[in-house]
């Protein structure tokens, strides 16, 4: 009787062995070819949830696969341990953020190990570790020395609930904080910034060469927001001041019928007339309580969004006088904080003009029957010397006119703003700056690093950092003049911590510098980075900026400009229509599955449920699918132990057609699974392994030699090992007294793995139109694509609507057309 599949004993056994033996620990001088596989730095909020399971299963699979393929794989783990939740917990419960965080780290680490995910734990790093803080501050000082870090007064998003500054991405579309739900307001503070805008063009252009999902590239391009056009000045009637405007469509300047200033524009107070002052002040008061997202909304009542200043600007192209308004949808932080409004060419300007009864002058001939704002191509009209030109020609000629007449210049603008890193919180990396009355801003000397926040602070929701009330921390002496001075009490945005951790992983024990350039050059860039689409903009953009900046200031190799060669963003898990998350209270803990069916069964479910890039729903059927994965592993357990000393089996002594078939099918399986792994088609790989298990069982019930059986089972176990590491390790040890994860990846015979060819009949409305020789292994979608490559079929389907496709793989496909 074959022993039972006892995952409760098997999984802890192998997890302990992997930790003790350091199977997946790699040294920097490892002679094997190197590969760097990395899952995104997690925030430790407690035990792993299903999102973690999904992410770390993918990463662990790739690490084990690449190791079997002969690579030295760097696969480290750490914790993005600073952040608001720990400090908010301290305010509510009195638990110190460090104690709270380290307890959460312990929980997450234990559940990651129970998943069977292996890492080089010698390289573990934590954001709140004094060594990491030291080099975080070291990098800040280097950026400051190179004019890439600076302090300036700026309006910020302020959350009254969290009592801190928020990045734009932490503000939801309804203007509330993503964590507390409070309405976000604008405040003005002295803040620290990193000059990411200095790299705007490179950040944009180098996206093209990255092996990243196109939607992530699009999101980054949109966030950087490059726009090319012209910047020029408008004189103000009765004043000696001018308004500078930027436009991407200088060819439309003859259609300018009004100008709009941002409410915060410095000229507003100077040019507003006595008659309009009340209306303007009323709008200014309203704007104080709106964030940028609310101000840019297209759903608000336009009649409440603008106010006439009483002043007029002069159009330099035709000397026409146009009224100057202020409106909340124009932002001081973008462009010049002023726009020339051409309602015939812009939808928002059109609506505004209609609301305030302002003229609308078309400068481009619109298609017949068109009504509304038109921004497409066409012949210029009502445009003076530009008349008769097409838009592209007119743009160039307008810019030439602006520059020739010294009105302005050709200009490129970016939506991207400099990175505001100041946070009025305790639980973060202190900014290493001292303020002296005589010496002004003084960097902390390198030898004094790290600056560690004291533990004995008072956590109160006052809006200031608790460090501000700690005299022992605040009061210090100036390193230059030795007079009394004050420390900076703001801490760094936690995105700073996650912008270079992947570099520290390469050289985590270095006590002299953040990392060795030589070591980093060996491992970087990361070959495969894995994480959620929610980090598509900020984390990835900031990490890319850091990589370029560190290379330029001499900390990183000069030619290392991008941190992540290849990016994969896994699909989101939904439950009840919402993303599964702790904040929504709809998490499903993996612990119950570890206890009832084992980690391998849960891992297989996440791989089998669908393409890894697709979102999926956690429903009532999920448990049945997980149980199905467990039942298959149980069948595989029993099948694999046949023929071992503990379970003799009466195999055939002579080869038959069954042996020939199984050997051929196994070679084809090795080829197909290898290709599926490369394409991230893990769900298809699981399905093929299940089918192969059924084939082995069927042939075994008929007639099969032990040699053929062993080849098929051993190959199957090796192919499954990256997905289900515990059961395959136990079975291979029982079969061979060897460790499967130390075996080489199985190879296949090209001739035996060759696809069988069959004749595909292609019909249209049931009538034969062509035949093609195709592989017998093709899927319906693949057959459909191949059928459409037939010249005969393509010609007959031209201008036809395909209503239905009837496919019986691999021999028949029928296109039903109207």
């Amino acid at each position: 009787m074959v022993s039972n599949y006892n995952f409760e004993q098997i999984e802890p056994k192998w997890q302990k062995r992997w930790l003790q033996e350091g199977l997946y620990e790699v040294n920097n001088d490892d002679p094997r070819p190197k590969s760097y596989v990395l899952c995104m730095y997690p925030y430790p909020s407690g035990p792993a949830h299903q999102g973690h399971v999904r992410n770390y299963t993918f990463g662990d699979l790739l690490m084990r696969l690449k190791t079997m393929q002969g690579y030295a794989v760097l696969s480290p783990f750490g914790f993005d341990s600073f952040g608001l939740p720990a400090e908010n917990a301290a305010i509510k419960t009195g638990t110190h953020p460090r104690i709270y965080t380290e307890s959460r780290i312990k929980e997450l680490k234990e559940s990651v190990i129970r998943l069977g995910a292996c890492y080089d734990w010698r390289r573990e790093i934590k954001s709140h570790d004094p060594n990491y803080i030291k080099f975080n501050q070291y990098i800040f000082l280097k950026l400051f020395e190179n004019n890439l870090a600076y302090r300036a007064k700026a309006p910020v998003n302020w959350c009254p609930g969290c009592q801190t500054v928020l990045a734009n991405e932490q503000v939801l579309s309804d203007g509330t904080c993503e964590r507390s739900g409070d309405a976000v307001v604008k405040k003005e503070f002295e803040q620290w910034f990193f000059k990411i805008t200095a790299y705007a063009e490179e950040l944009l252009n180098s996206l093209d060469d990255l092996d990243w999902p196109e939607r992530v590239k699009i999101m980054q391009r949109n966030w950087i927001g490059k726009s090319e056009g012209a910047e020029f000045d408008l004189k103000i009637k009765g004043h000696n001041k001018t308004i500078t405007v930027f436009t991407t469509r200088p060819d439309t300047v003859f259609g300018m019928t009004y100008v709009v200033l941002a409410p915060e524009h410095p000229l507003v107070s100077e040019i507003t007339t006595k008659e309009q002052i009340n209306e303007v002040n009323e709008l200014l008061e309203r704007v104080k309580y709106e964030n940028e997202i609310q101000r840019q909304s297209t759903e608000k009542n336009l009649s409440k969004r603008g106010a006439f200043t009483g002043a007029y600007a002069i159009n330099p192209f035709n000397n026409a006088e146009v009224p100057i308004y202020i409106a909340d949808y124009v932002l001081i932080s973008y462009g010049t904080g002023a726009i020339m409004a051409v309602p015939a060419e812009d939808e928002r300007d059109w609506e505004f003009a209609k609301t305030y009864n302002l003229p609308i002058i078309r400068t481009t001939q619109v298609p017949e029957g068109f009504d509304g704002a038109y921004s497409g191509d066409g012949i210029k009209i009502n445009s003076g010397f530009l008349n008769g030109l097409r838009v592209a020609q007119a743009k160039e000629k307008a810019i030439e006119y602006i520059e020739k007449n010294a009105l302005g210049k050709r200009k490129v603008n970016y939506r991207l703003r400099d990175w505001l890193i100041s946070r009025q919180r305790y639980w973060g990396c202190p900014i290493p700056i001292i303020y002296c009355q005589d010496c002004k801003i003084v960097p902390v000397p390198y030898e004094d690093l790290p600056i560690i926040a004291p533990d004995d602070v008072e956590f109160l929701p006052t809006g200031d950092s608790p460090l501000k009330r700690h005299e022992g921390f605040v009061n210090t002496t100036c390193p230059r003049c030795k007079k009394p001075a004050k420390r900076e009490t703001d801490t760094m945005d936690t995105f700073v911590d996650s912008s270079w951790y992947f570099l520290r992983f390469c050289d985590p024990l270095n006590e002299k510098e953040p990392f060795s350039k030589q070591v980093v050059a060996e491992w970087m860039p990361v070959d495969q980075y894995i994480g959620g689409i929610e980090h598509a903009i900020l984390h990835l953009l900031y990490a890319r900026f850091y990589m370029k900046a560190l290379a330029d200031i001499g900390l990183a190799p000069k030619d290392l400009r991008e941190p992540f060669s290849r990016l994969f963003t896994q699909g989101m898990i939904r439950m009840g229509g919402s993303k599964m998350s702790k904040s929504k209270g709809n998490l499903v803990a993996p612990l119950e599955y570890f206890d009832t069916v084992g980690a391998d069964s849960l891992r297989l479910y996440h791989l089998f449920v669908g393409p890894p890039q697709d979102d999926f729903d956690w429903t009532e059927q999920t448990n049945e699918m997980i149980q199905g994965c467990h039942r298959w592993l149980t069948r595989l357990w029993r099948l694999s132990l046949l023929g071992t000393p503990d379970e003799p089996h009466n195999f055939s002594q002579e080869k038959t057609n069954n042996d020939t078939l199984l050997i051929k099918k196994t070679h084809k399986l090795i080829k197909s699974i290898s290709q599926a792994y490369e394409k991230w088609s893990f769900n298809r790989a699981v399905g093929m392994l299940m089918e192969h298990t059924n084939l082995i069982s069927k042939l075994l019930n008929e007639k099969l030699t032990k040699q053929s059986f062993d080849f098929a089972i051993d190959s199957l176990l090796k192919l499954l090992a990256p997905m289900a590491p515990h059961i395959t390790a136990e079975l291979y040890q029982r079969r061979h007294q060897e460790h499967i994860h130390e075996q080489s990846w199985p190879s296949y015979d090209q001739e035996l793995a060759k696809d069988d060819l069959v004749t595909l009949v292609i019909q249209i409305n049931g009538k034969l139109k062509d035949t093609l020789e195709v592989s017998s292994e093709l899927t319906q979608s693949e057959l459909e694509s191949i059928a459409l490559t037939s010249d005969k079929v393509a010609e007959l389907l031209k201008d036809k609507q395909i209503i239905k496709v009837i496919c019986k793989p691999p021999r028949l496909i029928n296109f039903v057309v109207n």
Side-chain angles (χ1 to χ4, degrees), residues 217-277:
K217 293 184 182 182
I218 290 170
M219 291 166 78
Q220 290 219 355
R221 289 186 186 109
N222 291 342
W223 190 257
I224 296 167
K226 180 179 180 179
S227 47
E228 301 178 66
E231 188 176 87
F232 60 96
D233 293 332
L234 305 173
K235 292 180 180 178
I236 304 172
K237 183 181 179 182
H239 295 265
N240 60 357
K241 299 288 181 71
T242 59
I243 298 170
T244 302
V245 296
F246 170 79
T247 179
T248 59
R249 292 290 305 274
D251 61 295
T252 67
V253 71
F254 287 95
M256 181 197 337
T257 58
Y258 63 101
V259 171
V260 185
L261 303 182
E264 302 87 353
H265 198 289
L267 286 176
V268 171
S269 58
E270 293 186 45
I271 66 173
T272 300
T273 62
K274 292 179 181 179
E275 294 79 9
Q276 297 300 123
I277 193 70

Side-chain angles (χ1 to χ4, degrees), residues 32 46 92 106 167 178 196-197 258 266 330 340 385 449 563 590 680 694 706 761:
R32 293 173 294 176
K92 287 180 181 177
K106 183 174 182 291
E178 68 174 359
I196 190 173
T197 53
Y258 63 101
V330 177
M340 67 169 214
F385 63 90
L449 300 180
W680 285 66
N694 294 337
K706 187 175 187 303
V761 173

